[in-house]
Amino acid sequence: MARTKEEFLKQFGEGYGYPDAPRNIDAMRALDFKRLEGLVYLDHAGATLYSEAQMGDVAKELANSVYGNPHSQSDSSMATSDVVAAARLQVLNYLNASPRNYKCIFTSGATAALKLVGECFPWSRESCYMYTMENHNSVLGIREYALNKGATALAVDIEEVEPHDLRDETHESSIRILKHAVQRRVEDLVPQNLQNGKLSGNVYNLFAFPSECNFSGQKFPLDLVKVIKEDGGKILGVPSHQRNCWMVLIDAAKGCSTEPPDLARYPADFVVFSFYKIFGYPTGLGALVVRNEAARLLTKTYFGGGTVSASIADIDFVRRRESIEQVLEDGTLSFLAIASIRHGFKIVDSLTKSAIVRHTKSLAAYARNMMVGLKHGNGSNVCTIYGRETSKVLSSTYGPTISFNLKREDGSWFGYREVEKLASLSGIHLRTGCFCNPGACGKYLGLSHSDLISNFEAGHVCWDDNDILNGKPTGAVRISFGYMSTYEDAEKFLNFLETSFVSKPKDGYQSSLKALHSLSIANQQEVRPVQLKSITVYPVKSLQGFSVHSWPLSNIGLKYDREWLLRGLSGEILTQKKVPEMCSIRTFIDLELQAMYIESPHCKEKLLISLPKHSRSLNEEMDVYGQRYEVQTYDDEVNMWFTKALGRPCTFVRCSNSKNRSFMNKIGREGLCRYTSSKLNFSNEGQLLLISEESLFDLNSRLNANFGKDISGSRQPVHVDAARFRPNLVISCSEPYVEDSWSSLQIGKAHFSSLGGCNRCEMINIDQQFGRVRKTKEPLATLASYRRKQGKILFGILLRYEDSVKEGEDEIVEEKWLQVGQGVYPSVD
């Protein structure tokens, strides 16, 4: 699908690029976002980016100003008070809200603002909290306050329809509200007319909706403010005397980033948002913009510094301040952050809100159109884009956000984690999952209540890798554009989709696998013998291993392999992904002396660990990637050695729950008991990992061939050795990747089953020699281009050691050894 920028500009040029601003989009990116060179940032719905000019202005102001705690009358305090007051007006101006009608309450973010409304709202048994299905979890959380006060909760769907589609022809609105089941937690939790601690004859209800859905980018009609205020009671079928007690909350956390609601036209009672969504900095600061009449109904229980005129410590006496801002804001505000927001608004003002809307929508519309047009070779669609059907949408439009999933040519789904992983390798920043919007996620993905509960019971939680369950996606992929996004960003993303997910005439991995499978069957006797070339043992997970000429096997694989690990203070498992320096620590085991030696460039003395397990050692249970292990712990001397070696506190533990036990037989020879199932120490998936020299040579040939083609931003050729993949066994064979087709193999007297390909991750981008992550994204990026299968990037195969003694037989198992130079005899099913 050939495209040019000229074609894009013909269609979208009027809205793109800020032609009337002091600097156009290309100049802005070149001068203020130099850190984005080589990257495509498409997660502005999550957090937009601050500009270098903005941060320079912030630093200059803080370096030349003296701001003190505002709860005083000193010059520095008064300076802070002035800055805060000016910031409040600037916020109101951004929403076109008159200071006569609205107040700005600073909070720690949009979530804190929503929580403030929920805990202070005058709920009663007859109140209703109504909200749209498409809402962030932070909005759903208000439901807890309502239900705990005895109120009802009600989720609704919003539809915009043509006037002639309305069943009630007398109804003037083109908005249809569809109700879900009413929720009530406790019938008689509070007296009927008790509202947040005070009696009242009025009943207040709250309706919440997003100005823009953070899942799909669908913009909700702001006319809902008027519809609910006038007809909220009619929608619920409550008596007419309660219909004027509806209040409306707009979650503008996403919408404010490009198109804030106009409160002069749509006078909502509450609007919440966070500043980092608009201009990147500061984080940890948001606002609740509240209409004066609504603010007077909020009842705050807690009081803190700055919220009271007077209080007495030893009697029940407190007098709160009358200012709405001072009553609802606890303690000292984040005044330095507040002082910084004017520099963000300065950027918005220079570009203008209307130009930002046009610019971001033009990019989203272009990307959406191109994605809809992506087809596989058989004509099937690649992208499934989520949102309402455009034929049913009238006044509402889409914001600069696109949520989607991708399908293969056969109709099966690409998992969103696969998309995220490949995007990362291509330097593209996007977001996956449900985006804390369970209603929209379930609605657009077609997940029923039973599906959602079943997924949870199967172990799926937010941010995990369970992206496809029971043949359905559990989440989606989301891209979103910001004010500094460019055509080039959109184009690189579209090229990424085409090259990575649109079917080609032949699937490289599958066709090569089938060919190798056939070759292995037809010519297995004719090809040169397969030979074991090296053996490496890794006693401590993620530390250096050591090579040996021969080594014994046990029912965990190579004896002592991955039997120890290091964990951090909070119990997390330390690996080279988190601590690349771990690869500089060397290990060696002397079987005769029954000792393991460990040395580090940061420690003068070697560490000696005795191999025999002592009954007096401390033992405990720990979780390692979802599996429970009994482990042996070590004393402070050992832990301090590793703490010094890594430069961070850590503890050393050993796996002790293996069913493998050493014993002396009748003739005095050491043997191994037979158990029915093989065991894993701290290996991730399989007991042993095998790679071939030919496969490694093929990979390096591809890396050299790709040099200069900008697959992953590489500027230098990359050569990888076997250590990058941390294999236990390296073999030589006739063809690259022929090992993929093996179902089992024999080395010497030992038999192994193949568990399939090993899924590779960013760890292979770590230079094992220097302990640093290579910014080139290689070799994983090249592997992803031709070794991808069902979301996995495969290199090498995982093996399980199979003992030959049958289950139940009470025999001595001969300890088998592997030796470099032995023949490898594979079998193919």
Side-chain angles (χ1 to χ4, degrees):
M1 188 180 297
R3 298 174 296 266
T4 66
K5 190 171 184 178
E6 289 72 20
E7 292 171 334
F8 164 79
L9 291 175
K10 285 180 182 179
Q11 186 174 1
F12 298 102
E14 290 185 5
Y16 176 80
Y18 311 110
D20 299 325
R23 287 187 298 198
N24 65 23
I25 183 63
D26 294 327
M28 184 194 309
R29 279 290 290 264
L31 295 173
D32 291 339
F33 296 92
K34 292 187 286 290
R35 65 190 186 278
L36 287 180
E37 183 177 357
L39 299 177
V40 176
Y41 186 85
L42 295 176
D43 189 26
H44 295 274
T48 200
L49 302 175
Y50 54 81
S51 79
E52 294 173 23
Q54 173 189 354
M55 298 309 295
D57 290 342
V58 170
K60 183 177 179 180
E61 175 172 357
L62 298 183
N64 292 281
S65 305
V66 179
Y67 294 127
N69 190 308
H71 300 156
S72 179
Q73 296 294 318
S74 68
D75 290 345
S76 58
S77 297
M78 296 302 293
T80 299
S81 296
D82 291 343
V83 165
V84 171
R88 294 190 202 277
L89 290 176
Q90 201 160 23
V91 170
L92 296 179
N93 180 64
Y94 186 63
L95 300 178
N96 196 23
S98 168
R100 294 189 302 273
N101 302 323
Y102 285 90
K103 295 292 186 291
C104 170
I105 313 299
F106 286 115
T107 64
S108 64
T111 296
L114 291 164
K115 180 175 181 288
L116 182 63
V117 174
E119 67 184 3
C120 298
F121 194 81
W123 304 109
S124 72
R125 279 191 64 231
E126 295 182 357
S127 295
C128 177
Y129 176 46
M130 185 165 63
Y131 52 89
T132 56
M133 282 290 291
E134 295 148 282
N135 255 313
H136 195 277
N137 266 328
S138 297
V139 177
L140 299 187
I142 295 177
R143 182 178 62 187
E144 296 300 299
Y145 291 107
L147 294 177
N148 282 341
K149 291 291 185 180
T152 58
L154 177 65
V156 298
D157 284 303
I158 304 297
E159 287 187 359
E160 287 187 272
V161 293
E162 297 283 358
H164 57 74
D165 290 335
L166 293 169
R167 295 178 182 177
D168 181 1
E169 296 180 359
T170 62
H171 199 292
E172 296 179 356
S173 175
S174 62
I175 298 172
R176 179 184 292 159
I177 299 178
L178 307 176
K179 296 182 288 186
H180 289 252
V182 175
Q183 308 163 56
R184 186 186 288 277
R185 184 165 292 166
V186 180
E187 285 290 341
D188 297 311
L189 186 64
V190 293
Q192 180 173 342
N193 61 342
L194 184 64
Q195 303 179 24
N196 263 358
K198 63 183 180 182
L199 296 174
S200 171
N202 296 321
V203 174
Y204 295 97
N205 309 285
L206 181 64
F207 173 68
F209 73 100
S211 60
E212 181 184 325
C213 175
N214 77 310
F215 186 97
S216 66
Q218 179 68 47
K219 299 188 75 66
F220 279 75
L222 296 181
D223 286 332
L224 276 167
V225 175
K226 179 180 178 181
V227 169
I228 296 299
K229 281 182 170 292
E230 294 182 355
D231 294 330
K234 182 177 180 180
I235 292 168
L236 290 180
V238 299
S240 60
H241 70 275
Q242 296 180 10
R243 293 180 187 173
N244 293 326
C245 300
W246 276 92
M247 314 193 83
V248 178
L249 181 153
I250 298 178
D251 174 16
K254 174 60 187 76
C256 260
S257 62
T258 54
E259 192 170 6
D262 184 340
L263 295 186
R265 293 184 61 192
Y266 309 103
D269 299 282
F270 310 99
V271 177
V272 304
F273 65 92
S274 295
F275 291 97
Y276 75 94
K277 301 274 190 178
I278 305 173
F279 35 69
Y281 180 88
T283 57
L285 183 67
L288 165 64
V289 174
V290 54
R291 201 164 55 88
N292 292 342
E293 293 83 349
R296 285 191 282 269
L297 295 173
L298 300 182
T299 303
K300 189 79 176 288
T301 302
Y302 175 81
F303 69 86
T307 65
V308 296
S309 297
S311 63
I312 299 177
D314 57 348
I315 64 173
D316 184 9
F317 178 87
V318 61
R319 294 294 181 268
R320 299 176 186 267
R321 293 182 180 271
E322 295 186 5
S323 165
I324 293 173
E325 298 95 334
Q326 290 173 318
V327 169
L328 296 179
E329 292 170 345
D330 292 328
T332 302
L333 293 171
S334 183
F335 55 86
L336 295 183
I338 293 172
S340 302
I341 66 174
R342 71 184 185 94
H343 302 292
F345 280 124
K346 177 182 176 182
I347 296 173
V348 173
D349 293 341
S350 68
L351 300 176
T352 72
K353 290 183 286 186
S354 59
I356 290 173
V357 172
R358 292 192 299 270
H359 175 79
T360 54
K361 282 188 177 180
S362 68
L363 290 170
Y366 171 67
R368 184 185 295 270
N369 292 344
M370 294 298 103
M371 291 169 68
V372 168
L374 284 178
K375 304 286 185 181
H376 287 297
N378 65 357
S380 61
N381 291 328
V382 177
C383 301
T384 297
I385 298 177
Y386 300 114
R388 301 177 195 166
E389 296 180 24
T390 54
S391 61
K392 294 184 178 180
V393 176
L394 298 177
S395 59
S396 60
T397 58
Y398 286 98
T401 298
I402 304 171
S403 180
F404 63 96
N405 272 310
L406 303 174
K407 280 190 171 182
R408 298 184 178 89
E409 194 172 23
D410 62 4
S412 63
W413 297 98
F414 288 102
Y416 59 76
R417 281 290 292 124
E418 177 180 359
V419 180
E420 186 175 41
K421 179 189 290 187
L422 296 177
S424 177
L425 291 174
S426 299
I428 296 173
H429 298 249
L430 44 72
R431 182 155 300 208
T432 64
C434 275
F435 324 121
C436 297
N437 196 325
C441 188
K443 176 178 179 177
Y444 291 123
L445 299 182
L447 299 173
S448 66
H449 292 165
S450 60
D451 289 332
L452 295 170
I453 294 172
S454 174
N455 290 348
F456 176 75
E457 291 176 345
H460 172 55
V461 295
C462 295
W463 310 333
D464 68 10
D465 290 337
N466 294 317
D467 50 11
I468 303 289
L469 287 175
N470 300 315
K472 292 183 179 180
T474 60
V477 184
R478 185 184 73 187
I479 63 169
S480 48
F481 297 93
Y483 75 84
M484 78 295 296
S485 298
T486 64
Y487 161 81
E488 287 73 20
D489 291 332
E491 195 59 36
K492 288 178 182 177
F493 169 73
L494 293 169
N495 286 332
F496 159 70
L497 290 185
E498 287 186 62
T499 58
S500 301
F501 301 101
V502 177
S503 64
K504 300 174 178 60
K506 290 184 180 180
D507 184 315
Y509 175 80
Q510 289 292 338
S511 60
S512 65
L513 181 57
K514 291 178 181 177
L516 291 171
H517 182 82
S518 301
L519 175 67
S520 182
I521 294 175
N523 303 321
Q524 191 170 350
Q525 302 302 321
E526 301 177 11
V527 298
R528 64 183 176 86
V530 183
Q531 189 177 55
L532 181 60
K533 302 292 289 188
S534 71
I535 304 169
T536 306
V537 184
Y538 302 90
V540 184
K541 188 177 182 67
S542 272
L543 299 191
Q544 274 193 31
F546 61 96
S547 296
V548 293
H549 182 72
S550 61
W551 198 258
L553 290 160
S554 71
N555 72 341
I556 58 92
L558 293 176
K559 197 169 187 178
Y560 301 120
D561 190 61
R562 276 107 171 172
E563 194 161 317
W564 291 263
L565 60 74
L566 289 159
R567 61 182 178 183
L569 280 182
S570 61
E572 75 277 13
I573 309 304
L574 299 186
T575 68
Q576 288 186 23
K577 290 182 186 179
K578 300 176 181 178
V579 191
E581 298 79 12
M582 293 178 73
C583 67
S584 67
I585 301 178
R586 296 178 292 276
T587 61
F588 176 73
I589 287 179
D590 190 316
L591 292 176
E592 291 186 3
L593 296 179
Q594 287 289 283
M596 176 168 62
Y597 299 92
I598 307 175
E599 57 182 321
S600 164
H602 302 293
C603 299
K604 292 182 179 179
E605 302 293 332
K606 291 183 180 179
L607 180 64
L608 173 65
I609 301 292
S610 175
L611 295 184
K613 296 178 180 179
H614 301 292
S615 58
R616 65 178 182 273
S617 300
L618 295 175
N619 288 284
E620 62 180 64
E621 282 197 358
M622 67 176 293
D623 182 271
V624 181
Y625 303 130
Q627 299 295 321
R628 297 299 295 175
Y629 285 83
E630 285 185 10
V631 297
Q632 171 189 324
T633 60
Y634 288 84
D635 57 26
D636 290 343
E637 183 179 355
V638 172
N639 295 331
M640 286 304 298
W641 190 93
F642 281 106
T643 295
K644 182 178 180 181
L646 291 182
R648 64 171 64 199
C650 57
T651 56
F652 192 54
V653 299
R654 180 181 189 178
C655 178
S656 63
N657 73 336
S658 173
K659 299 298 184 182
N660 201 28
R661 286 294 182 267
S662 183
F663 74 104
M664 298 300 293
N665 63 22
K666 293 181 180 179
I667 60 176
R669 292 188 306 166
E670 188 177 26
L672 297 177
C673 293
R674 169 65 185 173
Y675 284 84
T676 59
S677 59
S678 57
K679 303 296 175 183
L680 281 177
N681 276 342
F682 295 130
S683 302
N684 287 350
E685 297 179 273
Q687 293 178 337
L688 299 97
L689 171 64
L690 176 148
I691 68 171
S692 78
E693 290 180 331
E694 285 70 24
S695 300
L696 187 63
F697 179 82
D698 178 77
L699 170 60
N700 278 303
S701 298
R702 292 172 186 268
L703 287 169
N704 291 330
N706 289 330
F707 172 57
K709 293 185 179 180
D710 195 29
I711 283 185
S712 61
S714 175
R715 294 182 179 275
Q716 297 180 348
V718 178
H719 179 85
V720 297
D721 57 16
R724 283 288 187 94
F725 302 93
R726 296 176 65 82
N728 295 110
L729 309 177
V730 178
I731 61 169
S732 65
C733 55
S734 58
E735 297 287 340
Y737 313 113
V738 70
E739 63 271 16
D740 292 337
S741 63
W742 296 347
S743 59
S744 61
L745 62 145
Q746 179 179 340
I747 307 176
K749 296 181 179 181
H751 295 266
F752 302 87
S753 293
S754 172
L755 303 179
C758 180
N759 186 23
R760 312 316 308 211
C761 64
E762 292 83 353
M763 190 165 167
I764 65 173
N765 293 333
I766 298 174
D767 190 319
Q768 296 287 318
Q769 183 177 0
F770 300 105
R772 56 184 174 84
V773 179
R774 296 182 66 89
K775 296 181 179 180
T776 60
K777 306 291 185 182
E778 294 292 5
L780 193 59
T782 293
L783 279 175
S785 68
Y786 75 106
R787 293 287 299 171
R788 202 168 93 240
K789 180 184 179 184
Q790 295 294 317
K792 297 181 178 181
I793 303 170
L794 303 178
F795 191 82
I797 59 173
L798 297 167
L799 302 178
R800 180 180 64 225
Y801 172 49
E802 302 289 355
D803 197 316
S804 61
V805 177
K806 296 180 180 179
E807 181 179 345
E809 292 185 359
D810 186 16
E811 295 185 19
I812 302 301
V813 179
E814 177 186 359
E815 185 177 65
K816 299 182 177 68
W817 287 60
L818 295 182
Q819 183 172 313
V820 172
Q822 287 178 318
V824 178
Y825 303 96
S827 298
V828 179
D829 288 338

